[in-house]
Amino acid sequence: MARVDLAGFNVDADILKEISASRPGSEDLTPETLSAAYARISRDPRPVGELRRLSRTEVDKARASNERIVFGLGHASVAEHAVFNFDVLEISRLAIEALEAHRLASYTEKSQRYIRLGEDFAIPSEVSARNLSAPFSEFVSRAFSRYALLVARLMASGVPDKMAGEDARYALPLAVHGQLGMTCNARSLEHLVLGLKSSALAEVRELADSFLAVARPIAPSLLRYMIPGPYHLQRDAEVATAVMSLLPDPPVASAAAARTRIPEGDVCLVDATHDGDARILAALAVPTLSCDYSTALASIRGLDHAGRSRLHAAVVARLGAYDALPREYELATMTFEVVLSAAAFGQLKRHRMSSLTTWPYDPTTGITIPPAIEKAGLADVLREGALEAEAMAMRLGGPGDPVASYAVLNAHRRRCLWTVNLREFYHVSRLREDEHAQWDIRLLTMAMSDLARGAFPVCAGHLGGKDIFQPAEG
Ligand SMILES: Cc1cc2nc3c(=O)[nH]c(=O)nc-3n(C[C@H](O)[C@H](O)[C@H](O)COP(=O)(O)OP(=O)(O)OC[C@H]3O[C@@H](n4cnc5c(N)ncnc54)[C@H](O)[C@@H]3O)c2cc1C
């Protein structure tokens, strides 16, 4: 029988400090020993527990071994065995976007939906450097006044307390502070720090320094190459120069055929795997047909819609609300172009098993007005806030300046491309089309589901929120 021994687990830093104080001079309170021991597994036949003991008694050698194996040989996955937890506080909603763009980590953040927000926000150093601290603070204070007004008036119009706060936050800018808990391994952290350090925003670059200040002393051998070079710092500008020289005339916007306009924004399916249904079903059929994939694909292509549906029905016959579709459903991918509010983006960006390509906030894409705000006759309060935010954004440099995004409201829309496979989209659909989902992301996901069903009429047939599953009887 296979044997499993517990080799370690994450423990609260306060307890680790107590342990460290009771063992003066010991250097082995580091995840580097685990990484080093695991790195040796590939070439050392001794049992892994012995390799761990060896690493703990020779921490210097363990560190040298990490450096040689992870960085010298490029056996970088070894660094993934060292894991950190971070409390991240006093961070703007805008900087959270930059942080959470890194997918190989776990985040749990303060919800602007469930928590009534106090007047707590960032004054970015770029804003102070431009002598705009006072007008910026006044702008954010007025946004908080609008938030309070919207909450009070929405509640007075009969909107429940929680929903009032959830919708009123559309009047708040991305400078508002949040907090989050984050878990990340050393390899991801190195990549993340490099990305943050390349940011155009001082707050984001400083965030990188803060991660390093707490993590590097604990695992110096695993956190080494984090200085952005010309590739990271100059690439975007060089791409922009090349685009301008190659395409000097602004293109005429084309009306995309599959564009679905919904009140909350636009969703357009720009690309989908050709014959995705057949590709998925063929991969499922291979083991039974005992043939190669191309042969199975030819056979499945010979089936009519009813035949394909019977095969898909066999997959989902016993599917529960929390079950994932089989991995074969990853063979069909979709790329959506989405114009969505910052509030909805904050939720979409949390789905890590997908590719999200974003462009800077551009207030000309308009704002999303929550239906409850519209119904209560309060839309003008939000519109007035949006105009003020756009004026503030212009003072901060306008759409071409990343600092301007601090003034953008949760209501302001942005454009992004989202590439997702059908398996992950099922997961997103279960969560975001569910009755507990926030209305904005819910409507967007429903629009995307409609497009998915058009692209994959058989295999996308069971999309929908968790609430479409009836509780099992008995
Ligand atoms: C109603 C609702 C309320 C929410 N409230 C909050 C909130 O208050 N605060 C907050 O921070 N978030 C909140 N979220 C976001 C939520 O916690 C998830 O982060 C988000 O829905 C992304 O989904 P996911 O983590 O399941 O997986 P995705 O990132 O979409 O990944 C898909 C699947 O891959 C697997 N996976 C991906 N990464 C990992 C990993 N590192 N380890 C293990 N498995 C992994 C899991 O099986 C996961 O389900 C809320 C979501 C909903 C629907």
Side-chain angles (χ1 to χ4, degrees):
M1 190 178 128
R3 183 178 129 196
V4 179
D5 294 336
L6 186 66
F9 57 91
N10 55 345
V11 173
D12 191 292
D14 291 341
I15 297 174
L16 291 174
K17 259 187 224 147
E18 282 174 28
I19 296 172
S20 178
S22 68
R23 301 164 77 233
S26 60
E27 277 198 84
D28 57 0
L29 220 56
T30 166
E32 289 166 302
T33 57
L34 275 166
S35 285
Y38 288 173
R40 284 179 183 152
I41 287 178
S42 43
R43 287 170 181 77
D44 193 320
R46 283 175 286 184
V48 61
E50 208 174 301
L51 297 178
R52 280 196 293 111
R53 262 189 302 283
L54 188 69
S55 287
R56 287 201 309 274
T57 52
E58 300 172 333
V59 175
D60 282 350
K61 280 193 188 162
R63 288 191 165 135
S65 152
N66 278 335
E67 287 175 22
R68 196 179 62 255
I69 293 172
V70 175
F71 301 105
L73 297 179
H75 190 358
S77 55
V78 159
E80 294 167 24
H81 298 297
V83 177
F84 302 90
N85 305 104
F86 300 102
D87 300 342
V88 183
L89 304 96
E90 293 163 32
I91 178 173
S92 73
R93 170 74 173 65
L94 186 63
I96 289 177
E97 284 187 3
L99 176 60
E100 292 179 356
H102 297 89
R103 291 173 291 192
L104 295 179
S106 306
Y107 308 95
T108 301
E109 68 179 280
K110 172 179 172 178
S111 169
Q112 290 195 347
R113 284 181 76 193
Y114 304 130
I115 295 176
R116 193 56 48 80
L117 301 168
E119 201 168 318
D120 180 15
F121 57 94
I123 301 184
S125 55
E126 297 93 336
V127 172
S128 321
R130 294 171 202 183
N131 290 324
L132 288 169
S133 299
F136 184 77
S137 297
E138 287 156 18
F139 153 70
V140 184
S141 286
R142 278 195 297 279
F144 270 102
S145 302
R146 259 184 221 106
Y147 169 72
L149 178 88
L150 285 170
V151 169
R153 296 236 184 118
L154 283 169
M155 284 173 64
S157 75
V159 174
D161 181 41
K162 186 189 141 282
M163 280 191 64
E166 174 175 319
D167 282 352
R169 78 186 157 126
Y170 278 65
L172 290 176
L174 301 188
V176 169
H177 273 156
Q179 66 165 349
L180 55 102
M182 169 181 161
T183 303
C184 182
N185 68 51
R187 184 186 192 180
S188 275
L189 186 64
E190 200 185 54
H191 173 74
L192 183 146
V193 164
L194 185 66
L196 299 183
K197 273 180 180 275
S198 313
S199 169
L201 297 174
E203 183 192 5
V204 176
R205 293 193 300 274
E206 284 160 14
L207 178 64
D209 293 335
S210 302
F211 280 123
L212 279 187
V214 293
R216 203 173 208 167
I218 293 167
S221 67
L222 297 173
L223 298 166
R224 285 173 59 85
Y225 295 105
M226 289 160 293
I227 301 183
Y231 171 71
H232 305 97
L233 298 173
Q234 290 164 21
R235 185 189 56 209
D236 289 356
E238 284 170 3
V239 169
T241 307
V243 171
M244 275 189 293
S245 74
L246 290 164
L247 302 164
D249 303 318
V252 179
S254 66
R259 191 173 294 278
T260 306
R261 287 191 186 281
I262 55 172
E264 292 68 36
D266 289 353
V267 185
C268 167
L269 182 65
V270 292
D271 202 9
T273 305
H274 171 66
D275 211 2
D277 277 340
R279 288 168 199 268
I280 292 169
L281 299 173
L284 285 164
V286 163
T288 313
L289 296 178
S290 295
C291 62
D292 61 88
Y293 179 66
S294 301
T295 308
L297 190 55
S299 299
I300 295 290
R301 282 187 170 139
L303 291 179
D304 61 7
H305 181 82
R308 292 178 184 200
S309 296
R310 270 182 57 198
L311 189 44
H312 168 71
V315 176
V316 297
R318 293 168 198 283
L319 183 75
Y322 296 92
D323 292 329
L325 270 293
R327 194 166 274 199
E328 286 80 358
Y329 281 65
E330 293 178 13
L331 289 171
T333 64
M334 298 167 282
T335 297
F336 296 100
E337 184 170 10
V338 188
V339 176
L340 76 178
S341 69
F345 176 79
Q347 299 170 83
L348 184 66
K349 75 176 177 357
R350 298 296 303 277
H351 292 286
R352 295 157 292 178
M353 305 295 260
S354 64
S355 301
L356 195 49
T357 305
T358 57
W359 297 291
Y361 281 96
D362 173 6
T364 62
T365 48
I367 61 167
T368 292
I369 300 179
I373 289 185
E374 192 88 67
K375 196 170 158 218
L378 297 165
D380 281 346
V381 177
L382 191 54
R383 283 196 196 99
E384 181 192 80
L387 285 176
E388 202 180 318
E390 286 156 29
M392 189 72 233
M394 289 311 288
R395 289 183 77 180
L396 295 176
D401 192 324
V403 179
S405 296
Y406 280 105
V408 160
L409 303 186
N410 276 321
H412 275 111
R413 293 172 183 162
R414 78 183 312 177
R415 185 179 298 277
C416 62
L417 272 189
W418 189 46
T419 300
V420 59
N421 66 57
L422 188 56
R423 188 182 190 215
E424 168 72 345
F425 190 70
Y426 260 100
H427 174 67
V428 174
S429 163
R430 292 284 180 266
L431 288 178
R432 303 299 185 180
E433 289 192 56
D434 186 65
E435 61 187 345
H436 296 107
Q438 190 251 356
W439 60 266
D440 199 349
I441 189 81
R442 191 177 188 209
L443 290 172
L444 284 162
T445 310
M446 285 173 168
M448 288 193 272
S449 278
D450 281 345
L451 293 168
R453 279 186 281 267
F456 313 124
V458 173
C459 293
H462 286 73
L463 290 168
K466 290 195 301 296
D467 51 4
I468 62 169
F469 288 83
Q470 300 302 320
E473 281 180 32

